[in-house]
Amino acid sequence: MRGLLDEYPRGPAYDEMFGADGLPHPHMRALYDALQTLTGDDLARRGAARDRSFRDQGVTFSHAGEEWVFPLDLIPRLIPAAEWEVIEAGVAQRVRALEAFLADVYGAAEAVRDGVVPRSLITTSAGFCRPAHGIRPPNGVRIHLAGIDLVRDQAGVLRVLEDNLQIPSGMSYVVENRRTMARVFPGLFLEQQVRPVASYPGRLLDALRRSAPAGVEQPTVVLLTPGVHNAAYFEHAFLARKMGIELVEGRDLFCREQVLYMRSIGGQQRVDVVYRRVNDDFFDPVHFRPESVVGCPGILNAARAGNVTIANAIGNGVADDKLTYTYVPELIEYYLGERPLLPNVTTFRLDDPDVRTDCLARLDQLVIKPVEGSGGSGIVIGPHASDAELAAVRERVLGEPRAWIAQELVLLSTSPAQLGDQLLPRHIDLRPFAVNDGEEVRVLPGGLTRVALREGSLIVNSSQGGGSKDTWVLTSRPEQGPEADGPPAFPAQAVRGSVPDQGPHNDQPQQQQ
């Protein structure tokens, strides 16, 4: 019987399963052997179990006015322990440097004075928030949760694609993906010795509590959501439930004498920390959009007075700006005195006339991105674009050069993905999450691997037809105790790759019982 990977096509991109010699990478051998014992029918059965689990749990995202079950590919992405150590150190380094940059931007602006970055970088950034100037968080943390997007290039080098420091999303899907995969591939999961992710929400809650105003011993933390119509509402509800905090909307909050309160059945309750999932522009109608009904009037004044902590801080968007991204290697050296551990993708600043001329001459070879874009929107991939699309983006770049950057095309690495009864290579990236509690930047093991399920696509966002994979960080020292993901809800024995993993048991009788 032929295995699922016997006819797996190899392309020009670096493949996460196979090396240049055509053999599986050493850390992928057990997964390769396990997949070779499966059939298309086995994949279909496990896929049905996955879909049933996600539907039962309501693991969804909203797109174009409809609710969609979040797409989880059945084949996990494995990261060896040694490589994870590099990722962990590189992401933490980047977050520390960006924390220092944000403190500088909304403080003394020493990087501008010393010529590390131009003043225009800050003043022309749509993410720069003047009302946040001078606000000092209680424990100095502005980036409580970061999502740093990484890609692997054709040479196998991991590079930073972009930083997400305002409202990084995806943590809930990491936890749900793991819970589901532990049921779908129980034997393989137990054999691999994978670092757990169940502690993600607890780590975040600990960081939020540590950021409370001075003198507050038992802080009240809430999660502020725009409401049920937001695309990420599942995640808001999931995290609030896992952290054991109140999920509130703007109408549930009010400020009096620069103190924030929450309306509750028991009366008014003071709020000390707000984990916000509302964008800057809608957060406080007093300082931003006056027509906003999803924010809370006066909350920024309460933060300035030191009576409430906003996580992540207002104004972090200036560090998310893709033009700022081009300066991060210099910022790491300036603030930390260190060399960057994770390089950027080669990027060009189109506000420089000479650079702009060179890039426009080879527009069909580059990737053009809006500096304020997100979710893959507005990106033009030169080699895949039509003449009309290239002409349109040329005019937009010439009209507003500051609003765009150009990057060399990175052919993202590929990983086997289930498409019907086949396993085919699809491009992937990785979003590790880092939590800063004021004393240490903790990079949570794994993260959200996103996969472009459309053939040839380099856009991994779910809103653009992408999906996700469970990310397994391998270790020789499996963690036990309260942080462990826990065994499946049914008995399962670890199996060797030569023996088929029996997969999920029929849990219908258990549900009825």
Side-chain angles (χ1 to χ4, degrees), residues 236-350:
H236 306 169
F238 175 92
L239 291 176
R241 183 174 71 252
K242 289 293 184 180
M243 291 190 287
I245 63 177
E246 292 291 338
L247 180 66
V248 300
E249 298 182 24
R251 60 189 175 183
D252 300 318
L253 304 175
F254 69 95
C255 289
R256 185 175 62 235
E257 298 179 354
Q258 296 186 334
V259 175
L260 182 66
Y261 296 91
M262 169 178 58
R263 297 182 176 92
S264 66
I265 296 176
Q268 303 171 3
Q269 182 178 355
R270 180 166 176 166
V271 174
D272 305 297
V273 181
V274 176
Y275 173 44
R276 60 151 182 142
R277 299 301 295 259
V278 174
N279 292 336
D280 287 10
D281 285 350
F282 297 92
F283 188 68
D284 187 339
V286 173
H287 293 280
F288 304 109
R289 294 193 180 190
E291 73 275 15
S292 172
V293 295
V294 297
C296 174
I299 190 172
L300 202 60
N301 292 339
R304 184 179 298 279
N307 294 325
V308 67
T309 300
I310 301 169
N312 283 351
I314 296 294
N316 281 9
V318 67
D320 275 0
D321 189 311
K322 292 182 177 60
L323 190 59
T324 301
Y325 160 92
T326 67
Y327 290 94
V328 173
E330 290 93 332
L331 295 176
I332 290 173
E333 295 190 27
Y334 176 72
Y335 290 116
L336 306 181
E338 302 171 0
R339 299 284 295 175
L341 298 175
L342 294 172
N344 280 7
V345 173
T346 303
T347 307
F348 306 100
R349 301 166 186 155
L350 297 181

Side-chain angles (χ1 to χ4, degrees), residues 9-10 17 88 135 148 182 218 252 278 302 388 405 407 427 501:
R10 318 289 166 80
M17 174 65 76
E88 191 173 35
I135 295 180
I148 308 297
Q218 297 294 329
D252 300 318
V278 174
I405 60 167
Q407 292 182 325
H427 295 290
D501 186 323

